[in-house]
């Protein structure tokens, strides 16, 4: 069943030495800055996104402390606005998506049996841009210049007259900068999953996690441009006097909301979908069977990614748009619950039909199902326009989307952290610590957010820095605040658990869980080249299939060893027939240089140093030209890009 | 390569060069996806144009701004759209190993694209006397949409000059080594097609 990475007869010692020589990097500062290894980049994404999660969580703790009792004076209104804006912006843009990109980066090449992503240098570039854009946005907080208008940046609150200063310039430029990273990452996932799958991994054998990542990447490709257009127009309006959102000169404030939610609603699925993919990846190992209804789940993933583009107006039911348009968007918002339900029932059936192994990852999956279903119920309530108009902009909405996002994204992510920690670190986590972390997190989450439904229905509005002593508000707010501290304690214990794993954890075997996907056939942590022999896949559950192990064992086909350089295999898009070997790039500092030039450019734009911005643009062009300059190869030695 | 049998025979440089490339390479998919996301960006900008126009009222462009004249944009179209032909001709040439066709084709496209940008500059020169991007929402839309497209033409021209320079420096393009040519070609065709959408939106739709 579970194979190891010890040299098999199909690959000789000499091959292994050559593979190691080509792929290993000796530790040095230069190697650290120039690596293009998807596993290192994936780990960096996870750590950096986790860091931004902690910052955004601390912002929330300050807010909850402020709201713990009525008429509290802990933070001033302007500070409160910046805190909730950075909390939302960071959780959505700097934590949720990058965290899932981190999982994707580490896992997709391993799950599809490849040696790296399709564009390793672009991958490194995407990480540096994410890091720089995140720091760019957080750095504004100590200066009191952070975004102060919510994560959605509605005009006219965010235009120059109503919101002077750098706040919303940081928002617009920060998100444009970050968008470069998200887009390049998404394109990389699509091409990797299309072209680099192991021979035999036809579309009906692709792991559900990879399906989810690819569907998400397609949503990013077609949704993110709306946000980019919006932010470019906002920046031009604020800084250069255009009038896109200015009604006194023919603009329209609702244009912002339309474009924002054309992006923003798919973005909910951009966050939740890969997390659901984690659930589908974790379940087989702890139920001892494949997810029920593979084809239905794939169809659900694909249809959600399409329908999600037709529901954006349900965020705008209270804006006075024509009533007729509501019926379409109300119907679409109701319909999208069907594929979501299909997935939930597939997981429930998997658990009913399988033999449950109640380890911590499975606990988090169960926590996810409970929480996410509750959030889904209140979501379906919003599709009723009349109910939506009653509860919009109250804490009921806050409760709803925290149930959806913590339930639908954070619980699965934590399941994923514990599930893959042995693979990523090569060590086992401490079961007791992890169980404590789960129960604190689960209890804290519900104690914090369930009461918000109540005081939302009692009429408490969102985004207020304080409130008068109204019966029913004060008590429940205090309960929420206590819950938030429990929640934070759960996060703290998770961090302690990860550090403990790195320091004290006992060495992990290649496959501690009996997982069904290819990453479990590699060493823990995987070798720099992932697979000594690129496997040949014969079924949906390759590591449960003796033929896959045979394909890398004695008599393995020599054309899947590829030890003559950094090489991997290209296969055809649909049925994964072997096409040819390609050379993969060596480590390089160019991605870092390019991201640095962009950071200089965006900083110069923010501070209105336009000549510096021009210099930075030229530096970007020059770096790209050098990056893409064709290597001098004699014609007969061509092996691709 | 070492003289070992089996593995080396299948993985050595000789084995790579012996076979012709099969299937679409990763670079092709990367460029197609990049173009798809860029096209969506233009769709959002053009969608914003129509949204603001229909919210504005019966007279469009707003009072004080004349309807755009057609002669110059049509000439610009007549230059830009056919500029894809030399690219296609060059790409087919390099697949047969005719490097001169790559060089001539890129040079021709470079001239046509630059003329397009020069004409656009004169167009701006005229229009700026009438209105600027801060006059009203129409001005903002006009300059931002055409300017953003002009920027894309400039990027495309940079890519073509880069390709021309690389091929003159003996960058080794050949029958089995033209992926970069194909990627630049895809981008340039995209820039052309988007212009047709802009021609319709900015110049033709106010007359409808």
């Amino acid at each position: 069943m579970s194979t190891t990475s010890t040299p098999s007869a199909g690959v000789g010692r000499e091959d292994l030495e050559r593979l190691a020589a080509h792929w290993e990097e000796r530790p040095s500062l230069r190697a650290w800055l120039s690596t293009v290894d998807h596993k290192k980049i994936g780990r960096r994404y996870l750590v950096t996104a986790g860091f931004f999660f902690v910052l955004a969580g601390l912002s929330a703790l300050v807010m909850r402390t402020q709201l713990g009792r009525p008429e509290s004076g802990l933070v001033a209104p302007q500070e409160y606005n910046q805190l909730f804006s950075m909390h939302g912006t960071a959780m959505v843009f700097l934590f949720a998506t990058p965290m899932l990109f981190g999982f994707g980066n580490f896992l997709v090449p391993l799950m599809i049996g490849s040696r790296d992503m399709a564009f390793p240098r672009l991958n490194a570039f995407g990480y540096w841009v994410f890091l720089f854009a995140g720091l760019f946005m957080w750095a504004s907080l100590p200066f009191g210049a952070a975004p102060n208008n919510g994560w959605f940046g509605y005009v006219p609150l965010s235009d120059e007259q109503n919101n002077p200063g750098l706040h919303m310039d940081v928002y617009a430029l920060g998100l444009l900068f970050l968008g470069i990273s998200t887009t390049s990452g998404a394109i990389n996932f699509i091409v990797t999953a299309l072209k680099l799958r192991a021979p035999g991994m036809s579309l009906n054998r692709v792991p559900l996690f990879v399906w989810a990542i690819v569907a998400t990447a397609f949503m990013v490709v077609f949704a993110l441009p709306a946000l980019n257009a919006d932010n470019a127009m906002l920046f031009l309006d604020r800084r250069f006097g255009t009038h896109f959102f200015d009604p006194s000169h023919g603009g329209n404030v609702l244009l912002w909301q339309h474009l924002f939610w054309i992006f923003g609603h798919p973005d909910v699925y951009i966050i939740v979908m890969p997390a659901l993919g984690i659930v589908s990846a974790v379940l087989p190992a702890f139920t001892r069977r494949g997810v029920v209804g593979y084809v239905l789940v794939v169809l659900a993933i694909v249809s959600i990614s399409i329908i999600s583009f037709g529901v954006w107006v349900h965020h705008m039911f209270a804006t006075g748009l024509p009533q007729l348009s509501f019926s379409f968007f109300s119907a679409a918002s109701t319909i999208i619950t069907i594929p979501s339900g299909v997935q939930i029932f597939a997981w429930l059936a998997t658990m009913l039909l399988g033999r449950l192994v109640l380890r911590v990852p499975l606990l988090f999956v169960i926590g996810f199902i409970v929480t996410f279903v509750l959030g889904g119920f209140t979501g379906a309530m919003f599709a009723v326009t009349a109910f939506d108009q009653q509860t919009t902009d109250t804490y009921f909405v806050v409760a709803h989307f925290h149930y959806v996002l913590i339930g639908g994204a954070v619980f699965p992510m934590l399941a994923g952290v514990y599930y893959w920690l042995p693979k990523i670190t090569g060590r086992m986590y401490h079961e007791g610590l992890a169980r404590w972390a789960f129960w604190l997190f689960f209890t804290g989450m519900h104690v914090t957010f369930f009461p918000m439904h109540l005081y939302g229905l009692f009429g408490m509005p969102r985004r207020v820095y304080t409130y008068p002593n109204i019966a029913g508000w004060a008590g429940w707010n205090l309960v929420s605040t206590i819950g938030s501290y429990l929640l934070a304690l759960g996060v703290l214990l998770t961090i302690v658990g990860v550090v403990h794993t790195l320091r004290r954890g006992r060495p992990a075997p290649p496959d501690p869980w009996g997982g069904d996907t290819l990453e479990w056939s590699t060493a823990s942590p995987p070798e720099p080249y992932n697979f000594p022999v690129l496997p040949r896949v014969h079924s949906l559950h390759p590591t449960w299939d003796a033929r896959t192990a045979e394909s890398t064992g004695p008599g393995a086909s020599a054309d899947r060893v590829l030890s003559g350089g950094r090489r991997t295999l290209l296969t055809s898009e649909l049925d994964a027939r072997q096409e040819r070997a390609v050379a993969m790039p060596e480590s390089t500092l160019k991605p870092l240089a390019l991201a640095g030039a962009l950071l200089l450019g965006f900083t110069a734009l923010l501070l209105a140093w336009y000549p510096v911005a021009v210099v930075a643009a030229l530096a970007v062009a020059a770096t790209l030209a050098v990056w893409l300059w064709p290597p001098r190869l004699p014609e007969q030695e061509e092996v691709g890009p | 390569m070492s003289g070992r049998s089996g593995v080396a025979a299948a993985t050595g440089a000789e084995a790579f060069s012996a076979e012709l490339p099969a299937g679409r390479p990763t670079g092709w998919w990367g460029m197609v996806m990049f173009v798809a996301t860029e096209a969506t960006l233009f769709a959002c900008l053009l969608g914003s144009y129509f949204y603001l126009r229909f919210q504005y009222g019966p007279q469009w462009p707003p009072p004080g701004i004349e309807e755009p004249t057609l002669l110059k944009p049509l000439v610009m179209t007549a230059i830009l759209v056919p500029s894809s032909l030399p690219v296609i001709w060059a790409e087919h040439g390099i697949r047969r190993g005719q490097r001169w066709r790559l060089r001539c084709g890129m040079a021709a496209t470079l001239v046509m694209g630059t003329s397009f940008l020069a004409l656009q500059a004169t167009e701006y020169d005229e229009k700026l006397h009438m209105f600027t991007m801060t006059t009203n929402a129409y001005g903002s839309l006009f300059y931002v949409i055409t300017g953003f497209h002009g920027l894309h033409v400039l990027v495309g021209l940079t890519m073509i000059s880069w390709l021309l320079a690389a091929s003159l420096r003996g960058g080794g393009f050949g029958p089995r080594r033209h992926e970069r040519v194909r990627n630049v070609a895809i981008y340039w065709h995209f820039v052309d097609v988007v212009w047709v959408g802009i021609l319709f939106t900015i110049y033709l739709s106010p007359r409808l």
Side-chain angles (χ1 to χ4, degrees):
Chain A
M1 290 283 276
S2 61
T3 57
T4 66
S5 75
T6 46
S8 49
V11 49
R13 180 137 314 267
E14 196 184 334
D15 281 314
L16 284 179
E17 275 164 17
R18 272 152 34 109
L19 275 171
H22 287 302
W23 289 88
E24 261 168 23
E25 289 155 350
R26 242 175 242 122
S28 71
L29 181 63
R30 195 193 153 84
W32 196 80
L33 294 173
S34 66
T35 186
V36 295
D37 182 343
H38 73 97
K39 297 181 288 298
K40 291 183 185 162
I41 293 168
R43 283 205 303 261
R44 285 175 192 181
Y45 262 108
L46 292 171
V47 171
T48 313
F51 173 67
F52 291 144
F53 173 74
V54 169
L55 286 184
L58 289 176
S59 320
L61 268 192
V62 176
M63 289 191 283
R64 269 328 313 172
T65 312
Q66 158 80 8
L67 295 173
R69 60 194 174 88
E71 289 166 37
S72 154
L74 181 70
V75 287
Q78 259 308 317
E79 291 166 6
Y80 189 85
N81 288 350
Q82 296 185 25
L83 283 174
F84 82 69
S85 305
M86 272 316 281
H87 170 73
T89 311
M91 283 295 190
V92 170
F93 294 105
L94 298 177
F95 160 63
T97 310
M99 188 80 179
L100 295 161
F101 271 34
F103 280 114
N105 256 308
F106 190 90
L107 292 167
V108 166
L110 289 170
M111 278 192 176
I112 63 174
S114 160
R115 289 206 169 122
D116 208 323
M117 298 282 284
F119 307 113
R121 293 176 297 187
L122 188 69
N123 208 19
F125 167 71
Y127 169 74
W128 293 119
V129 170
F130 157 56
L131 175 70
F132 292 163
L135 295 176
F136 178 89
M137 292 179 83
W138 276 110
S140 64
L141 194 59
F143 296 101
N148 57 356
N149 194 19
W151 78 283
F152 38 74
Y154 284 168
V155 280
L157 287 172
S158 57
D159 68 17
E160 229 234 314
Q161 288 77 38
N162 294 309
N163 200 335
L166 289 180
H167 307 282
M168 294 315 288
D169 296 325
V170 172
Y171 175 88
L173 290 175
L175 292 189
L176 282 170
F177 188 18
L178 183 67
I180 298 171
S181 161
T182 316
T183 305
S184 59
I187 291 174
N188 214 344
F189 282 130
I190 292 172
V191 182
T192 305
L194 277 177
K195 290 302 298 182
L196 267 64
R197 302 198 307 276
M201 189 181 276
S202 47
L203 280 191
N204 56 344
R205 293 173 186 163
V206 173
L208 287 169
F209 177 77
V210 178
W211 270 109
I213 286 278
V214 171
T216 305
F218 270 104
M219 280 194 278
V220 168
V221 164
F222 292 108
L224 205 58
L227 182 73
N228 290 337
D230 229 5
N231 276 314
M233 288 193 251
L234 179 65
F235 185 69
L236 288 171
D237 266 17
R238 288 177 57 84
R239 193 62 75 77
F240 297 103
T242 58
H243 300 289
F244 291 107
F245 305 124
D246 173 10
S248 65
H249 287 80
N252 193 307
V253 286
L254 280 188
L255 175 61
W256 170 273
Q257 285 200 35
H258 277 295
L259 285 172
F260 187 83
W261 289 116
I262 285 173
F263 152 80
H265 202 88
D267 190 55
V268 174
Y269 296 97
I270 288 171
I271 292 168
V272 171
M273 188 96 86
L276 303 189
I278 293 179
V279 174
S280 296
V282 168
L283 269 183
F286 298 99
T287 58
R288 298 281 179 259
R289 59 158 297 140
V291 171
V292 172
Y294 172 83
V295 175
L296 281 176
V297 174
V298 170
L299 288 177
I301 289 172
V302 173
S303 52
I304 287 175
S305 65
I306 294 165
I307 302 172
S308 70
F309 282 89
V311 300
W312 81 87
V313 170
H314 78 212
H315 293 268
M316 302 167 68
F317 281 164
T319 52
L321 290 173
Q323 292 286 328
L324 185 63
S325 69
F326 289 172
S327 22
F328 172 82
F329 289 97
S330 193
S333 308
T334 313
I335 284 171
I336 203 166
T337 58
I338 295 172
S340 314
V342 165
Q343 292 197 66
I344 298 277
F345 283 114
W347 294 318
L348 289 178
T350 311
M351 290 204 274
L352 282 175
L353 297 175
R355 275 188 297 123
L356 293 192
V357 184
L358 259 187
R359 301 295 295 268
V360 170
L362 187 61
L363 283 182
F364 275 102
V365 167
I366 293 168
F368 144 75
I369 290 180
V370 171
T371 315
F372 188 63
V373 167
L374 282 170
F377 283 152
T378 48
M381 288 157 82
F382 289 132
V384 181
T385 318
F387 181 83
D388 183 273
Q389 290 191 328
Q390 272 309 305
T391 50
T392 191
D393 272 336
T394 69
Y395 261 89
F396 193 88
V397 180
V398 181
H400 159 69
F401 67 70
H402 280 90
Y403 266 78
V404 170
L405 290 175
I406 298 184
V410 184
F411 273 103
M413 280 179 202
L414 288 169
V417 165
Y418 285 108
Y419 181 56
W420 283 300
L421 208 50
K423 181 56 59 187
I424 295 173
T425 63
R427 290 170 183 277
M428 298 301 290
Y429 62 82
H430 188 285
E431 187 78 17
L433 268 177
R435 276 175 193 269
W436 269 100
F438 168 76
W439 286 110
L440 278 170
F441 191 84
F442 183 80
T443 318
M445 149 77 210
H446 287 272
V447 173
T448 308
F449 295 102
F450 195 81
M452 287 185 185
H453 291 112
L454 301 176
Y455 50 88
L457 287 174
F458 301 159
M460 180 163 163
R462 315 157 62 172
R463 308 176 200 118
V464 288
Y465 82 104
T466 191
Y467 53 93
N469 194 356
I470 291 177
W473 290 16
W476 285 119
N477 263 293
L478 184 62
V479 174
S480 281
T481 302
I482 293 169
S484 66
Y485 277 88
L486 290 179
L487 184 61
L489 209 55
V491 175
L492 184 67
L493 267 193
T494 300
I495 297 169
V496 170
V498 171
V499 174
H500 182 274
T501 307
L502 286 169
R503 293 273 163 82
R504 297 274 172 80
R506 61 189 164 77
D511 183 10
W513 314 120
D516 66 332
T517 34
L518 279 173
E519 79 269 26
W520 300 110
S521 70
T522 63
S524 297
E527 302 284 354
Y529 44 83
N530 291 356
F531 301 92
V533 185
L534 295 172
R536 173 172 280 285
V537 173
H538 296 271
S539 72
L540 183 54
H541 308 288
T543 49
W544 293 351
D545 184 340
R547 287 172 294 175
T548 304
E550 268 168 36
S551 78
T552 58
S557 171
D559 59 355
R560 283 182 283 110
V561 178
L562 303 177
S563 61
R566 282 199 181 194
R567 279 171 187 167
T568 194
L569 268 184
L570 290 194
T571 53
S572 62
E573 291 84 355
L574 299 180
D575 48 4
R577 260 187 327 226
Q578 197 161 324
E579 276 174 357
R580 62 180 157 134
V582 284
M584 302 300 272
E586 305 285 327
S587 317
T588 163
L589 287 170
K590 285 166 204 154
L592 179 60
L594 186 59
L598 282 170
L599 176 65
L600 179 69
F602 277 93
T603 312
L605 274 182
L606 179 70
L607 303 175
W609 304 335
Y610 300 118
V612 180
V614 173
V615 172
L618 293 175
V620 166
T623 319
L624 269 173
V626 174
W627 182 337
L628 295 171
W629 196 257
R632 271 175 186 280
L633 289 178
E635 173 84 357
Q636 68 273 17
E637 223 210 318
E638 67 176 46
V639 289
Chain B
M1 293 299 301
S2 68
R4 296 180 320 120
S5 58
V7 175
T11 58
E14 304 86 336
F16 285 105
S17 55
E19 55 188 291
L20 274 166
R24 297 207 187 283
T26 52
W28 187 90
W29 281 104
M31 186 50 99
V32 165
M33 283 295 132
F34 178 63
V35 162
T37 191
E38 289 278 276
T40 314
L41 190 56
F42 275 104
C44 291
L45 288 177
L46 298 183
S48 304
Y49 178 94
F50 286 111
Y51 185 79
L52 292 182
R53 178 199 166 161
F54 291 132
Q55 300 283 331
Y56 185 77
Q59 199 188 344
W60 185 266
I65 298 176
E66 294 163 25
E67 266 185 8
T69 50
L70 276 183
L71 180 64
K72 196 170 273 180
L74 286 177
V75 174
M76 285 159 75
T77 313
I79 292 174
L80 190 66
V81 173
S83 74
S84 267
L85 295 175
V87 176
I88 295 171
W89 178 73
E91 198 194 327
H92 281 268
I94 197 64
R95 282 190 205 172
R96 294 191 211 153
Q98 295 163 316
R99 288 182 193 163
W100 64 274
R101 269 174 68 173
L102 177 64
R103 288 169 193 156
C104 295
M106 290 299 131
T109 307
L110 201 57
V111 171
M112 292 166 95
T114 313
S115 331
F116 173 87
L117 280 186
L119 275 176
Q120 194 173 36
T122 65
E123 158 106 342
Y124 273 23
D125 191 40
E126 284 169 29
K127 295 264 190 212
L128 282 170
H129 292 297
M130 264 197 287
F131 63 96
T132 68
M133 75 175 186
T134 58
T135 306
N136 51 28
Y138 176 83
S140 309
L141 287 164
F142 178 86
Y143 287 107
V144 169
I145 293 176
T146 55
F148 195 57
H149 177 262
L151 187 67
H152 276 71
V153 174
L154 187 65
V155 170
L157 287 176
T158 313
M159 286 160 83
I160 283 172
S161 329
W162 177 94
L163 207 56
L164 185 61
S167 71
L168 289 173
R169 290 275 313 274
F173 298 110
R176 286 196 291 273
R177 202 149 175 260
H178 51 258
E179 209 181 297
R180 283 149 213 265
V181 181
R182 185 145 69 147
N183 292 343
V184 171
I186 292 169
Y187 188 82
W188 189 256
H189 301 327
F190 156 70
V191 167
D192 280 2
V193 171
V194 167
W195 172 254
V196 177
I198 290 170
L199 179 77
F200 173 79
T201 306
I202 302 266
Y203 296 98
L204 296 179
S205 81
R207 297 171 175 270
L208 294 179

